[in-house]
């Protein structure tokens, strides 16, 4: 059966709590994503939180704070919600739904960040798989039907 590693975005750009928010926002622009994992350090890459584009808006601009003066620490959501890369995809769906979150940080056996899994990734993956099944079904040789 499908695992988290089959659908996740691998090797995401991470930041540390001290990364300026402007740099975090630039990472989102350059990677075309809306979430950056926050890790203790860039070598061990152990997740401690997440900064989303929404976190930045609600915790800086909406709160009347100067984004240029803030770091990831000021905006991140903690603790980090993590899931292992070997977790079955259907279990991941259940976990995200129960936690009422859209994405989780994927960790490898050492506990370091190896990916991000979002509900959208799973949906895309599931639909690709169903489409593949459909194509196989359609291309099976069929018994000819003679209409009299």
């Amino acid at each position: 059966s499908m695992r988290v590693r089959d659908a996740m975005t691998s090797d995401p750009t991470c930041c540390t709590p001290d990364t300026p928010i402007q740099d975090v926002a630039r990472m989102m622009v350059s990677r075309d994503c809306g979430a950056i994992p926050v890790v203790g350090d860039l070598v061990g890459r152990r997740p401690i939180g997440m900064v989303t584009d929404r976190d930045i808006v609600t915790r800086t601009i909406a709160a009347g704070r100067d984004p240029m003066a803030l770091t990831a620490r000021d905006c991140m959501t903690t603790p980090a919600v993590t899931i292992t890369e070997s977790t079955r995809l259907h279990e991941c769906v259940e976990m995200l739904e129960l936690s009422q979150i859209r994405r989780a940080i994927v960790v490898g056996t050492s506990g370091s960040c190896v990916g991000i899994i979002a509900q959208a990734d799973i949906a895309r993956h599931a639909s690709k798989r169903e489409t593949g099944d459909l194509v196989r079904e359609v291309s099976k040789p069929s018994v000819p039907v003679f209409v009299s």
Side-chain angles (χ1 to χ4, degrees):
S1 65
M2 308 290 291
R3 307 275 170 172
V4 166
R5 72 171 68 87
D6 300 316
M8 71 182 188
T9 299
S10 299
D11 194 33
T13 299
C14 296
C15 70
T16 68
D18 298 320
T19 306
I21 277 301
Q22 186 179 17
D23 292 354
V24 178
R26 282 177 174 154
M27 289 172 187
M28 289 177 182
V29 173
S30 67
R31 290 297 294 257
D32 189 28
C33 70
I36 302 289
V38 185
V39 295
D41 63 86
L42 295 175
V43 179
R45 282 169 67 101
R46 289 185 176 274
I48 54 177
M50 178 97 87
V51 177
T52 66
D53 42 16
R54 189 172 186 279
D55 289 335
I56 295 175
V57 171
T58 57
R59 292 176 184 159
T60 68
I61 301 163
R65 302 174 77 190
D66 174 13
M68 296 307 160
L70 303 177
T71 63
R73 182 181 284 108
D74 302 309
C75 297
M76 67 184 183
T77 298
T78 54
V81 180
T82 61
I83 193 160
T84 62
E85 60 182 337
S86 58
T87 303
R88 288 187 171 87
L89 222 43
H90 69 86
E91 289 169 6
C92 178
V93 173
E94 283 168 19
M95 189 273 279
L96 293 174
E97 283 172 357
L98 281 172
S99 311
Q100 293 186 304
I101 54 173
R102 286 187 306 191
R103 51 172 87 80
I105 297 172
V106 184
V107 290
T109 46
S110 67
S112 66
C113 172
V114 296
I116 292 185
I117 186 83
Q119 282 179 342
D121 298 326
I122 300 169
R124 237 194 331 271
H125 216 84
S127 61
K128 259 196 303 200
R129 212 175 158 196
E130 284 154 20
T131 306
D133 291 345
L134 190 67
V135 169
R136 275 193 296 282
E137 200 61 43
V138 170
S139 54
K140 268 185 195 161
S142 58
V143 180
V145 178
F146 297 102
V147 181
S148 56

